[in-house]
Amino acid sequence: MFHKSVAWCRRNMPTRESMESNRLLRPVAHRVMEPGLWRFNRRSVPRGVALGMVAGFLFPVAQIAIAALFALPFRANVPVAALTTFITNPLTTPFLWFLAYRIGAWVLHSDAPAIVQPVAEATDWLHRVTGALGWLWDKGPAFALGLVILTSVSAGLGYALSAFGWRLWIARKWRHRHAPNRV
């Protein structure tokens, strides 16, 4: 399973050329093509994971381009930042948004039910639209706070886990390199 995941990541990881030809990144292509942003090392990979999670959670559109732009000032790995944005997709986003709302409601001590509009009132399209906007206006602060908390915790956890994973990977490589030859 791990090898299939690595193979999928390698196939879908953006290349320098694809980023250079992207019309959204053309104004900053000279910065994006800097070799240090494409090297995999112990500092740039965890930064890329954290920034990719921030871009993936907070921005519903253009996540890859935003993650690449975030990677520039933080000297993060651009492919890792772009690939990490795939943590949010059409299958995971509703669950993450619901979790963000629940976290925000818990922090703000908002015990109101998630749906407050009676079914009989929602018979007309105008009532539906105004009801949805009213619900969003009422629940927006809890959702926004929860999203910021969820993003911060996930980015910090992603940074720590990827730094720890990098350290384990290097330690394993070092052990195999310096292991006595048993022939």
Side-chain angles (χ1 to χ4, degrees):
M1 176 84 173
F2 176 73
H3 296 297
K4 287 183 180 181
S5 298
V6 170
W8 182 87
C9 290
R10 286 193 178 145
R11 278 193 317 269
N12 292 308
M13 191 174 298
T15 62
R16 288 183 67 191
E17 293 78 23
S18 69
M19 298 290 269
E20 188 176 35
S21 65
N22 187 331
R23 67 180 174 88
L24 295 174
L25 295 177
R26 216 170 274 143
V28 292
H30 64 284
R31 291 281 317 266
V32 174
M33 295 302 111
E34 190 173 319
L37 298 173
W38 294 85
R39 288 193 186 110
F40 292 88
N41 60 44
R42 67 183 173 99
R43 290 186 184 98
S44 69
V45 169
R47 287 178 193 160
V49 169
L51 291 173
M53 286 192 169
V54 168
F57 281 15
L58 293 182
F59 299 97
V61 294
Q63 297 168 334
I64 294 174
I66 291 170
L69 290 175
F70 281 175
L72 299 178
F74 292 103
R75 311 280 307 149
N77 189 290
V78 173
V80 170
L83 192 62
T84 306
T85 62
F86 287 114
I87 198 166
T88 55
N89 56 55
L91 296 176
T92 61
T93 299
F95 170 73
L96 291 172
W97 283 1
F98 178 74
L99 184 63
Y101 168 72
R102 297 302 298 164
I103 291 169
W106 179 74
V107 169
L108 293 177
H109 302 293
S110 170
D111 295 324
I115 299 174
V116 296
Q117 181 180 8
V119 176
E121 187 181 319
T123 56
D124 190 22
W125 69 271
L126 185 57
H127 286 142
R128 287 186 202 156
V129 171
T130 58
L133 291 175
W135 182 87
L136 186 60
W137 184 260
D138 291 339
K139 307 303 178 201
F143 173 69
L145 179 64
L147 192 60
V148 168
I149 291 171
L150 183 64
T151 301
S152 301
V153 169
S154 297
L157 193 62
Y159 182 92
L161 287 175
S162 60
F164 182 68
W166 186 273
R167 186 172 177 87
L168 288 177
W169 180 58
I170 295 299
R172 183 174 176 257
K173 282 177 58 174
W174 190 85
R175 267 195 318 272
H176 285 303
R177 187 181 320 147
H178 296 318
N181 252 343
R182 296 180 190 171
V183 178

